[in-house]
Amino acid sequence: MNELKHEIAAMIAHDGPMTLEQYMALCLSHPRFGYYMSRDPFGAAGDFITAPEISQMFGELIGVWATEAWRLSNSPLSSQLIELGPGRGTLMADALRVARISPEFLDAITVALVETSPVLRDAQRETLSSATAQVDWYDHFFQIPQGPAFIIANEFFDALPVRHYVKTVAGWRERLVGLDSSGALTFGLSEKIEAGLSLTAREGSIIEICPTAQSLIADIAQRLVVQGGVCLVIDYGYTQTSLGDSLQAVAHHSYADPLDAPGDADLTTHVDFAALARAAHSRGAKILGPVTQGYFLQQLGIERRAEALARKATPEQSDEIFAALDRLTGSSDSRYCMGDLFKVMAIAHPDTPDLPGFFE
Ligand code: SAH
C-alpha cells in the first residue's frame, strides 16, 4: 500500500467515506503525495504526452492566436497573459518566441502562470529562463493582478476533481470512496438522496459534475466581462452535457484502477464544454465554439507552418513534423490522434469580434 493510500484509509476510518471529489483532490494535489506535486509526468518516459510536448507548432500557433486576440481587443496596455496549469512551460515558451514579431504585444503583457506544483514550477522557470517577458507565479487565478486578461488553459480543466451521482430506485445518490471489510478502498453510495437533481434517467445512470471548473469559469468570465480579454480552453471532452462516467486513471501511458495507487496515477475526466459555456454565459461573456482541435489548428494555418518547418529540416525531422501534424489534427485513431477528441472554446468580453480558429 502506498503512503497516500494509508493516509486516505485512516481518514475514512476516522471520518467515514469521502466524496469522489475529495478523493480526486487528494490524489492530484496532496501537498506531499499528490500526483502533480511530486513529479513531472510528461513525455515519452512519463505518463502521458500533451500537445505542446508533441510539437512546437502547437504553442507557436497559440502564441499567434493570443497576439491576434489582444489586437482585436484594441491592444490594451498593462494586460496579463495568463496560463492555467502550464506543465513544463513549453507552450508558453513557444508562444512567447513567436510573439517577438509583435513587440507592442510583448511590451503590453506580464505573464502570469497559475501552478500549484513546486516540481512543475521549477520546470517552468527553467524552460522560460530566456523569455523576454516578466513571468510571475500564482497558486490561484483570483490572486492575479487586475487588468485585461488573455488566458490559455490546455489540458487544465480535465485535471479538476468531479462529483458523481448515481441513479438508484430511491433517487440520485452521490458516489463515495470508503473501505471494504478487508480495509481496501472501494466505491460506494451515499445514504442521502440528492434532491436537487431533476434529470430523468434509468437506474444505474451516472451524472458527472465538476463544481470547481464551473465556479472557476464563472470567475474568469466575470473578470473578462468587467476588465476585458479572452480565455481559450483546450481539452478533451464533449460538446453536449450527457450522462456517464468519464473518470480515468493513467500511469505509464496505460489505464489503471483509480483506487489502486492514489497519487501515483493521473486522474482525469472529460470536460463538459456545455456546462462551462453555461457558467460563462450566465456572467454575460461571449462564447466562441467549441470547435474541434483539428479544425481550430487548420484554421490557424498549421499545415503551412508544418511545410515551412519541413523545408528547413532533414528528411527524418520532416517525417516527425508531419507525424506531429497528423497527431495534433487527425481523427483516424482517437487514442493517438487528438484532432476530433480535443475541443477548443473561447470565452470573451461581449464586444470581442469573431476570433481566428472559430470562423465558419
Ligand atoms: N498545460 C500543460 C500541462 C497539463 S497537465 C500541457 O499542456 O502540457 C495539468 C497542469 O495543471 C499541471 O501543470 C498541473 O500541475 C496543473 N494543475 C493541476 N491542478 C491544478 C490546480 N488545482 N491549480 C493549479 N494548477 C493545477
Side-chain angles (χ1 to χ4, degrees), residues 258-333:
L259 297 182
D260 195 37
D264 289 339
D266 186 28
L267 294 183
T268 65
T269 59
H270 286 210
V271 172
D272 180 350
F273 278 91
L276 297 187
R278 281 194 297 273
H281 193 254
S282 73
R283 302 298 169 107
K286 176 172 174 171
I287 313 292
L288 304 173
V291 296
T292 64
Q293 175 172 301
Y295 182 84
F296 181 76
L297 294 175
Q298 273 153 8
Q299 294 257 313
L300 296 189
I302 193 168
E303 276 160 25
R304 266 175 288 130
R305 184 73 191 122
E307 282 155 16
L309 286 173
R311 276 197 290 277
K312 288 180 259 165
T314 64
E316 207 172 67
Q317 288 168 332
S318 174
D319 286 350
E320 277 171 23
I321 292 164
F322 288 105
L325 173 68
D326 183 45
R327 191 154 182 201
L328 292 174
T329 63
S331 55
S332 51
D333 172 356

Side-chain angles (χ1 to χ4, degrees), residues 28-29 36-37 39 41-42 48-53 58 83-91 114-117 120 124 138-140 153-161 212 266:
L28 295 172
S29 306
Y36 285 110
M37 302 305 271
R39 79 192 74 212
F42 306 102
F48 56 88
I49 186 158
T50 56
E53 304 297 333
F58 189 79
E83 188 176 355
L84 308 178
R88 284 181 175 165
T90 309
L91 187 160
V114 179
E115 177 60 70
T116 38
S117 160
L120 291 173
Q124 292 152 20
Y138 300 91
D139 282 330
H140 301 285
N154 186 59
E155 291 208 41
F156 173 74
F157 282 93
D158 65 72
L160 299 177
T212 316
D266 186 28

